[in-house]
Amino acid sequence: MSNKPPLVAVVGKLVHDYVVSENKLVHLMGGNGSFASLGVTPFISSPKLLSCIGDDFPAKWLSALEKAGVDINNIHKLSRPHDFMTIMKYQLDGDRENIVEVSKIESLIKNASDSLISDKKLKQYLEDLNLWKEELDNLFQFTFFPDPYDYSEDLISSFQGVLICSAKAILQKEWVDRIRSINQKAIIVMDAPVERVNEREILKAHLSTLRRVNCFLPSEQEVKFLFPSLSLEDAIKSLAELGPEVIVVKRGSKGSLFFQRERGVFLSIPSFPTISIDPTGAGDCFCGGFLGGFILTKDFLSSAICGNAVASFAVSSRGADQLALTLLMHKDELNERISFVKENIKKWNLSL
């Protein structure tokens, strides 16, 4: 009997995050691939992160992932700068706003009392953004999300579970097609695509991908984008009818809503109460924890409990590099958080 640990993969992006909080500009490691792979590590050792980085991506960030237990050997290095970034502003109540308008970004940076105002990479990004907003976004979304055909059949066939993080719908489809053509047994967990309500036709086309996915983990807002005329419960049932055995809707500080066709009931899974410092990456960390939890327990409800518990560490840290350290320093607290979440699950009702 083999004693080899299960092989788990996370397919996602690595991103520069620039965060404006309390009038300071902070540069952090971001990207759904980083947060999601870290979310796996408390449950399954050495999850493989499949991603792409530029040749100037900070080595200290890769080191932070590796020290936290992420296998970084399948991250492809590109012969170009790593200039995929997001700029976010945080409010006093902890909510965040992803700033996409150039004038707003420039205003934020101008008022930030931080030396990063002279960051050359950020300045160049703003200059390019003025000229090529939509084209630039598409370029980065496609360039820094890995190509499934860059990975061997032997590697893909070895995976017991794969998380496909949020990306362009066509990229997610390519990954599902590639995995299923090689590996019928792998559990595929997928986040929602990056397209939004103004790209509804793409979203509708994307739904056909769900027939080959085991679990779909969108946010509540994303479900409403997909089915604007349906109640949340009916929308989730509609998603389940398309193929996934399990739908878990992420609801931020309210936790998550769990639906499994076999159980036939909706369950409200609470978040673990903690001081919110930065919600960035919490949803991605949940997805990673969900996958790791399932590979460990072979039970989907336990998977969602694990996801909620580990996501609470992301909420109480800032940046994926800090999350990596937080998980290492506070790993003894995980079981307590899992127990709290498990004990407070309730049947869903509309008043929640």
Side-chain angles (χ1 to χ4, degrees):
M1 185 174 179
S2 174
N3 291 319
K4 290 183 179 179
L7 291 177
V8 173
V10 171
V11 182
K13 294 168 285 196
L14 293 166
V15 180
H16 291 272
D17 279 351
Y18 289 89
V19 178
V20 177
S21 178
E22 298 176 347
N23 235 27
K24 291 184 179 180
L25 185 65
V26 184
H27 184 198
L28 302 167
M29 175 170 61
N32 50 32
S34 57
F35 284 105
S37 58
L38 288 168
V40 177
T41 57
F43 310 103
I44 299 295
S45 62
S46 301
K48 295 180 181 296
L49 176 54
L50 280 50
S51 191
C52 301
I53 56 172
D55 52 18
D56 60 349
F57 191 80
K60 65 179 181 180
W61 288 352
L62 293 177
S63 177
L65 290 172
E66 192 169 34
K67 286 178 180 177
V70 175
D71 182 340
I72 62 172
N73 293 310
N74 292 279
I75 299 175
H76 292 163
K77 184 176 285 189
L78 308 175
S79 298
R80 58 157 296 153
H82 195 102
D83 39 11
F84 190 8
M85 60 188 68
T86 60
I87 294 96
M88 290 169 282
K89 181 181 180 182
Y90 284 85
Q91 317 294 345
L92 293 176
D93 61 3
D95 285 343
R96 62 178 177 173
E97 179 185 5
N98 192 10
I99 309 298
V100 295
E101 294 180 26
V102 177
S103 60
K104 285 188 177 182
I105 296 173
E106 290 176 333
S107 177
L108 278 175
I109 294 172
K110 182 179 179 180
N111 294 323
S113 57
D114 190 277
S115 61
L116 283 174
I117 191 170
S118 61
D119 186 298
K120 291 182 179 179
K121 184 179 290 292
L122 185 54
K123 283 181 129 181
Q124 184 61 54
Y125 174 74
L126 291 177
E127 289 178 14
D128 292 341
L129 206 60
N130 265 314
L131 295 171
W132 313 104
K133 171 74 178 71
E134 187 174 341
E135 293 83 353
L136 199 65
D137 181 61
N138 277 329
L139 170 67
F140 292 153
Q141 290 286 351
F142 282 93
T143 301
F144 292 102
F145 197 80
D147 185 333
Y149 292 93
D150 285 342
Y151 296 91
S152 71
E153 290 190 8
D154 285 345
L155 180 65
I156 293 174
S157 66
S158 70
F159 293 145
Q160 293 184 26
V162 182
L163 167 61
I164 303 173
C165 293
S166 184
K168 287 287 187 179
I170 187 62
L171 295 176
Q172 290 186 313
K173 178 183 182 300
E174 287 183 350
W175 266 100
V176 172
D177 290 348
R178 171 75 165 160
I179 294 168
R180 283 296 179 238
S181 70
I182 298 168
N183 187 340
Q184 292 291 326
K185 294 182 179 180
I187 293 294
I188 299 181
V189 176
M190 191 169 72
D191 203 342
V194 297
E195 282 85 358
R196 290 296 179 261
V197 67
N198 60 329
E199 299 169 296
R200 195 171 303 285
E201 292 307 312
I202 295 176
L203 291 173
K204 287 180 180 177
H206 179 267
L207 295 178
S208 65
T209 304
L210 296 183
R211 71 179 184 273
R212 300 185 302 283
V213 169
N214 301 93
C215 311
F216 187 46
L217 311 180
S219 69
E220 184 171 1
Q221 185 181 34
E222 287 161 343
V223 173
K224 290 176 180 177
F225 282 151
L226 290 167
F227 297 101
S229 62
L230 297 182
S231 68
L232 185 57
E233 294 93 332
D234 287 342
I236 291 171
K237 287 179 180 178
S238 296
L239 286 169
E241 288 171 0
L242 293 169
E245 182 181 349
V246 172
I247 307 291
V248 186
V249 177
K250 296 169 289 189
R251 306 181 68 228
S253 61
K254 295 179 182 178
S256 59
L257 179 56
F258 176 91
F259 181 77
Q260 184 176 4
R261 286 200 311 269
E262 187 178 287
R263 295 174 184 264
V265 295
F266 291 91
L267 297 175
S268 177
I269 305 178
S271 59
F272 180 84
T274 187
I275 296 173
S276 179
I277 295 176
D278 183 350
T280 303
D284 304 312
C285 191
F286 168 87
C287 293
F290 181 94
L291 175 61
F294 178 77
I295 299 300
L296 180 66
T297 68
K298 300 298 186 288
D299 177 75
F300 286 119
L301 180 56
S302 297
S303 310
I305 293 168
C306 290
N308 274 28
V310 76
S312 65
F313 291 103
V315 171
S316 58
S317 58
R318 176 165 287 163
D321 39 341
Q322 291 186 20
L323 172 60
L325 184 59
T326 298
L327 288 172
L328 287 172
M329 292 177 62
H330 300 282
K331 58 183 178 181
D332 294 340
E333 298 176 23
L334 180 62
N335 285 337
E336 173 191 342
R337 299 190 183 199
I338 288 174
S339 296
F340 174 90
V341 173
K342 185 176 183 179
E343 291 167 5
N344 287 279
I345 292 175
K346 298 178 181 177
K347 283 192 175 181
W348 166 260
N349 65 69
L350 289 172
S351 65
L352 292 175

